[in-house]
Amino acid sequence: MTSKRIAVLGFRHEAMIACPFLTDESTTMTWYLDELLDVPVTTLTGVFDTIAAEDGFEAVPLLFCRTLPGGGFERGLYEKMKGDSLNLLKEHGLFDGVLVLNHGAGETDGLGVHADTDYIVAVREVVGPDIPITVPFDHHGQVTQELLDAIDAMACLRTAPHRDNYETSVRATKQLIDIMKTGRKPKKAAVHIPMMIPGEKCMTDYAPAKDLFGMLPDYDALPGVTEAHIFVGFGWNDLPWCGMKAVVTHETSEEEALRLAREIADKVWARRKEFGLKMPTAGVREGLEQAAAAPEKIIYLADSGDNTTCGAGGDLTFVLQEAIDLDMQDIIIGGIYAPDLVDQCIAAGVDSEVTLELGHHISARKQIKTVTAKVLASGDAVDTSAYTNLRGNDSPWAKVQIGGVIATFHSARVSFTGPGHFEAVGVDPTAHKIYVVKVGYLHPQQEDIMNRNICLLSEGVGALDFTLLEYSKVKRPCFPMDGDMEWSSIEGVFEGNKGLLATA
Ligand SMILES: [Zn+2]
């Protein structure tokens, strides 16, 4: 008996359209064919492990693209990745099923439509209407009606910070195999919930997200339900398809899927005012002072306004400048995007003293400060291959000391999301008092090693107060901008989004 062949392809990109730095090759990695088998990304390993454990099914890896969150894809880079994907799908076909590995929050500069929708609809056109397609989404992604029409089922992350990428891929793969075995395609229903919230206000360790995501397994267990989902979406983007969604897939009944999706949406909506920052927060100066006065070591401060894990630029030095002004000691500020400063430090050489002008920001107002720094180290690449597989880490970097403050500058945008990033620039990730990273919520490996954390409510495009954003394309009214609005889930039934892609 010949095996049933499952094509594995897709991209994971989270776009922050307010970021002035488009996603280009400096922060994008693309793997082809058997290269996918060696990429230690759990989204992939969950897929391959599940297919390998199933008799009579074979994975056919085609293409996987992963980016650091940032501005929209450069149009040419996106079109090449999409073109390569479709060509490989044609060349290596025919297939019996397709796993599309997309995140859901992809955008492409100048494309005018949601990038994941554009890509997945194109995949559907290549394979035709009958071949099942499933997707392991991130819950910070978007779904559109066109995207839902193009796929057969999906799984979606249920933890933030994300600890269940592997399990989500397993579920999406099992759903695909189930459809291939039974020939039964689930019915789908989605409800748009008019809410824009940052992921930091929807952490699943805290209510209400803990309760809302925590109830999803109960929905999965209802007769006929394939999977129930809450998409938080990517609330920073003022785009017509952005906002929260409740989505349910059901084996037989579209009516039941819709009833349950509305019920979930109503439960999310009822608790809308409870979504907030549950971790300790402070202004930049106040947070630095609190950390300096605290008795613990290994205090992690999140520079949330410049959070590169949601796509902010990473070039801001507001926290660095404040730390210098406060004459802070034993503080490490990692991952500042500053190509000019790296060039200057490398030209001067290790152990040299250099005069640096901080603050020529592109992604926020300029704030120039001239400092004397000692170059402690530099390199051609930050070796974090075991952690992130992101090309930004391949770029030149320099580590400097300014008074009691140590900072690392990089020639490409990077994200310090685990202790390995500090180790890679010669910083012990547990020996120092304070670490500053450009994230919003801490990532799992950071949560696991820190003794205390403070989210700094810093300036930048990643800032967390959405009432300050001027949304004009998002469907209004919308919470929290139109704070006292009334809403019922009947208004969000998902056909309302149909056609939005054409008018964007
Ligand atoms: Zn996410």
Side-chain angles (χ1 to χ4, degrees):
M1 187 185 91
T2 52
S3 295
K4 291 194 184 300
R5 306 178 73 236
I6 299 174
V8 179
L9 79 173
F11 69 94
R12 290 184 92 78
H13 174 50
E14 185 173 80
M16 158 82 81
I17 57 171
C19 177
F21 308 112
L22 292 181
T23 293
D24 60 16
E25 287 185 342
S26 72
T27 53
T28 302
M29 294 286 280
T30 309
W31 295 270
Y32 292 87
L33 304 172
D34 284 351
E35 288 172 358
L36 273 68
L37 299 169
D38 298 322
V39 181
V41 171
T42 49
T43 302
L44 280 171
T45 51
V47 167
F48 293 135
D49 289 353
T50 308
I51 297 174
E54 197 72 40
D55 275 348
F57 292 83
E58 175 195 354
V60 183
L62 296 177
L63 178 148
F64 182 58
C65 173
R66 188 164 182 250
T67 72
L68 186 75
F73 261 119
E74 276 189 357
R75 184 72 183 267
L77 183 64
Y78 172 76
E79 296 294 355
K80 176 169 187 334
M81 183 275 297
K82 178 184 163 190
D84 287 351
S85 299
L86 301 180
N87 286 336
L88 289 166
L89 201 55
K90 291 172 194 161
E91 286 165 16
H92 293 261
L94 300 169
F95 294 103
D96 303 290
V98 182
L99 259 160
V100 179
L101 301 168
N102 282 33
H103 174 291
E107 306 293 343
T108 298
D109 185 47
L111 189 65
V113 302
H114 176 229
D116 297 272
T117 299
D118 177 69
Y119 182 92
I120 292 173
V121 165
V123 168
R124 169 58 76 199
E125 283 170 2
V126 170
V127 299
D130 300 327
I131 305 302
I133 299 175
T134 65
V135 189
F137 284 111
D138 187 303
H139 67 227
H140 297 125
Q142 322 294 341
V143 288
T144 63
Q145 183 64 49
E146 290 85 346
L147 189 157
L148 279 180
D149 289 345
I151 67 175
D152 295 292
M154 68 181 95
C156 186
L157 294 182
R158 289 177 170 180
T159 59
H162 302 323
R163 293 177 181 268
D164 63 332
N165 285 286
Y166 185 88
E167 293 80 358
T168 303
S169 278
V170 169
R171 293 202 307 278
T173 309
K174 286 185 169 171
Q175 290 173 18
L176 181 71
I177 289 171
D178 188 58
I179 297 168
M180 291 166 74
K181 283 179 175 172
T182 64
R184 189 176 56 215
K185 294 189 167 187
K187 310 293 182 190
K188 294 156 284 182
V191 173
H192 173 83
I193 311 166
M195 290 174 60
M196 300 289 266
I197 54 172
E200 281 66 22
K201 294 185 177 177
C202 197
M203 294 173 72
T204 54
D205 289 336
Y206 307 102
K210 183 177 185 177
D211 305 332
L212 294 166
F213 281 89
M215 74 185 181
L216 293 179
D218 298 335
Y219 279 92
D220 296 346
L222 293 174
V225 172
T226 312
E227 189 166 322
H229 317 278
I230 297 169
F231 283 80
V232 178
F234 191 82
W236 282 277
N237 284 350
D238 181 20
L239 292 168
W241 44 87
C242 290
M244 289 185 77
K245 309 281 193 288
V247 184
V248 173
T249 45
H250 189 282
E251 285 174 9
T252 54
S253 171
E254 192 168 328
E255 209 173 31
E256 182 65 356
L258 180 57
R259 187 183 73 78
L260 295 172
R262 286 188 58 198
E263 190 175 298
I264 293 168
D266 284 333
K267 288 179 179 174
V268 172
W269 179 253
R271 301 191 68 177
R272 64 194 176 280
K273 292 180 180 167
E274 295 176 51
F275 290 97
L277 297 172
K278 310 289 165 126
M279 72 289 254
T281 59
V284 173
R285 172 172 285 256
E286 183 193 358
L288 288 167
E289 286 173 340
Q290 283 174 12
E296 299 96 334
K297 281 197 333 185
I298 324 177
I299 300 171
Y300 267 76
L301 304 182
D303 183 1
S304 65
D306 203 22
N307 169 10
T308 49
T309 70
C310 77
D315 60 327
L316 303 185
T317 57
F318 297 124
V319 178
L320 171 61
Q321 295 192 37
E322 195 76 58
I324 295 167
D325 288 347
L326 289 171
D327 195 22
M328 302 274 292
Q329 302 297 312
D330 200 17
I331 176 171
I332 319 290
I333 301 178
I336 299 168
Y337 175 44
D340 294 350
L341 301 183
V342 173
D343 288 349
Q344 204 185 331
C345 292
I346 288 178
V350 172
D351 289 334
S352 302
E353 279 213 337
V354 284
T355 302
L356 302 177
E357 267 195 7
L358 307 176
H360 289 278
H361 308 138
I362 294 172
S363 66
R365 67 183 166 83
K366 296 194 181 347
Q367 178 175 295
I368 308 301
K369 179 178 187 68
T370 303
V371 297
T372 302
K374 183 180 178 189
V375 182
L376 298 178
S378 66
D380 293 332
V382 180
D383 179 16
T384 58
S385 52
Y387 296 89
T388 57
N389 288 295
L390 286 171
R391 184 156 285 147
N393 300 318
D394 294 348
S395 60
W397 58 277
K399 180 171 64 174
V400 302
Q401 177 142 16
I402 306 162
V405 181
I406 289 174
T408 74
F409 301 124
H410 302 262
S411 290
R413 297 176 57 254
V414 294
S415 274
F416 278 37
T417 53
H421 293 100
F422 282 114
E423 287 166 357
V425 292
V427 172
D428 187 327
T430 57
H432 297 281
K433 183 166 181 66
I434 303 167
Y435 299 85
V436 181
V437 284
K438 292 183 180 289
V439 301
Y441 53 60
L442 295 185
H443 283 237
Q445 291 180 324
Q446 296 166 331
E447 281 192 332
D448 293 346
I449 62 167
M450 61 86 184
N451 292 318
R452 178 192 277 234
N453 82 305
I454 303 170
C455 178
L456 302 179
L457 302 175
S458 49
E459 187 177 327
V461 296
L464 296 168
D465 184 355
F466 286 3
T467 62
L468 302 176
L469 299 181
E470 292 174 10
Y471 293 96
S472 62
K473 295 183 183 139
V474 166
K475 200 172 165 189
R476 300 292 282 266
C478 184
F479 185 85
M481 300 86 82
D482 305 301
D484 292 328
M485 62 180 282
E486 299 287 322
W487 182 77
S488 122
S489 62
I490 193 73
E491 297 167 46
V493 173
F494 209 49
E495 63 187 16
N497 270 18
K498 195 137 194 162
L500 282 175
L501 289 177
T503 58

